[in-house]
Structure formats: C-alpha cells, structure tokens
Amino acid sequence: MPLILSIIFIITAILFVVYGIYATKSGAPFWPTGRKKVKQMIQLAELTKDDVVMDLGSGDGRIVRAAAPYVTRAIGIEINPVLHYWALFLRLCSPYKKQMIFEQTNLWKTDLSEIDVLFLFFMPDKMEKLHQKIKKEMKPGSRIVSNIFQFPGWSIVKKHDMIYVYQLS
Ligand SMILES: C[S@@+](CC[C@H](N)C(=O)[O-])C[C@H]1O[C@@H](n2cnc3c(N)ncnc32)[C@H](O)[C@@H]1O
C-alpha cells in the first residue's frame, strides 16, 4: 500500500511540475490570488444573476467558487490536471456546485463568445495576445477583471488595489 501511495504521489508531482512549466510559458505560473483580493475582484465585477463568468487559468478554482453564488454559471479553465482535479474535488463541498464548471483545457483554444465577465491573472508578456483574443471573441458590454497586470493601451473603467476592470465597447 505505501508503495502505491508513493507512486501516485510521484506521478502527481511530475504532472504538476511538467504542466507548471508549460503553463508558465503559455500563460502564467500557478500563483493563487489571495483571499482578500478574490473578494475585491468579485465586488469590482458587479456580478448579476444573468452573468456567465470565466476564470481563464483557474488554478485551484477559488475565483470560480467565490463567483458561483452570484451568477448563472461560473467556468474555470485550467491546463494543469492536478489543479483541475483539486478544483473538482473542492467543488463537491460547495452548495453552489450546479453553477460551477471546470474544464481541463488550453485557454488559447477556449471560446469566449458566451462570457459576460472574464477574470484573469496573467503574465505581462501575454496581455497583448490576450487582448486580441478578447477583442475578436467577446461581445460588447462584457467585462474583464485583471489581477495585477494591465492591458497596454486599453482604458480602465475601474481600478482598486492593482485590480483593473475593462469593458468592451
Ligand atoms: C497566476 S495563476 C492564477 C490562478 C487563479 N486564477 C487565481 O487567481 O488564483 C495562473 C493559472 O493559469 C494557468 N494557465 C497558464 N497557462 C494556461 C493555459 N495555456 N491554459 C489554461 N490554463 C493556463 C496556470 O496553470 C495557473 O493555474
């Protein structure tokens, strides 16, 4: 039994590291948003019951769990399978599990056309590429709440404690 547990632990650790390296190159490393900041991001988003929201690179799913009580659907997109399954496990403990969806996929292949509010915490060198994707796919009026990093040349509609809110015209 301890041998099986050791093997599971080693495989999980290898997956976490390998996908962590890939995630760092393709978007951002796993660096979770602090609890206080998660609350601030949710408040700044001014969520409504009609909203479909997405956290692009959802990590352990904390933003999705925090948003779920206020919206129709909260979706988490995460490439790292270890974080994805951990988020699915934590979802089981939530009374709002019906509102929550987690997908293990690459965010660059994710369609954003149905999303009303997009949360993100990305590296600065990916912000321009992401801005192009948002402009191409998201509908007018949708909001984007970015933790720490700004979109170059895009007007901010609200800002608090290095959280930046944008709206598509
Ligand atoms: C800075 S963390 C933010 C986690 C979470 N949103 C939060 O605020 O706590 C960025 C997350 O994006 C994920 N990520 C990076 N590149 C990705 C990609 N191409 N597709 C999906 N997820 C990605 C990482 O694995 C990591 O969990």
Side-chain angles (χ1 to χ4, degrees):
M1 194 62 176
L3 178 66
I4 292 173
L5 287 179
S6 304
I7 291 169
I8 292 172
F9 177 79
I10 289 167
I11 291 172
T12 305
I14 290 171
L15 282 175
F16 188 78
V17 171
V18 169
Y19 276 92
I21 292 168
Y22 178 76
T24 303
K25 290 194 169 161
S26 96
F30 177 52
W31 183 346
T33 302
R35 303 278 166 200
K36 187 174 155 213
K37 211 142 188 225
V38 170
K39 276 191 188 163
Q40 291 171 338
M41 289 173 78
I42 299 295
Q43 278 170 4
L44 282 170
E46 297 188 37
L47 301 175
T48 72
K49 273 288 171 202
D50 294 329
D51 284 333
V52 175
V53 311
M54 180 179 276
D55 185 15
L56 217 46
S58 48
D60 62 5
R62 59 184 63 196
I63 291 182
V64 173
R65 285 193 302 280
Y70 307 105
V71 297
T72 299
R73 213 167 349 128
I75 306 164
I77 300 295
E78 174 55 54
I79 193 97
N80 191 320
V82 179
L83 292 167
H84 169 70
Y85 284 108
W86 180 239
L88 281 182
F89 171 73
L90 295 176
R91 175 182 172 271
L92 292 175
C93 316
S94 167
Y96 301 99
K97 50 175 100 44
K98 280 191 183 154
Q99 283 94 311
M100 287 187 242
I101 296 174
F102 289 101
E103 289 176 26
Q104 195 232 326
T105 186
N106 190 331
L107 60 88
W108 298 112
K109 294 181 183 157
T110 300
D111 175 33
L112 306 179
S113 59
E114 299 297 319
I115 306 304
D116 300 295
V117 181
L118 188 69
F119 292 97
L120 33 111
F121 184 6
F122 253 57
M123 293 310 280
D125 62 331
K126 298 291 181 303
M127 293 300 271
E128 187 45 43
K129 183 178 173 193
L130 190 56
H131 189 185
Q132 297 310 320
K133 181 173 168 63
I134 287 170
K135 275 200 296 190
K136 199 169 140 202
E137 295 177 18
M138 289 185 80
K139 54 196 171 197
S142 47
R143 289 102 74 200
I144 295 92
V145 182
S146 175
N147 187 15
I148 300 191
F149 302 114
Q150 302 178 40
F151 289 102
W154 194 2
S155 309
I156 295 160
V157 292
K158 257 191 280 180
K159 151 175 146 175
H160 175 76
D161 198 13
M162 291 185 84
I163 302 165
Y164 304 97
V165 182
Y166 300 86
Q167 188 155 32
L168 276 172
S169 48

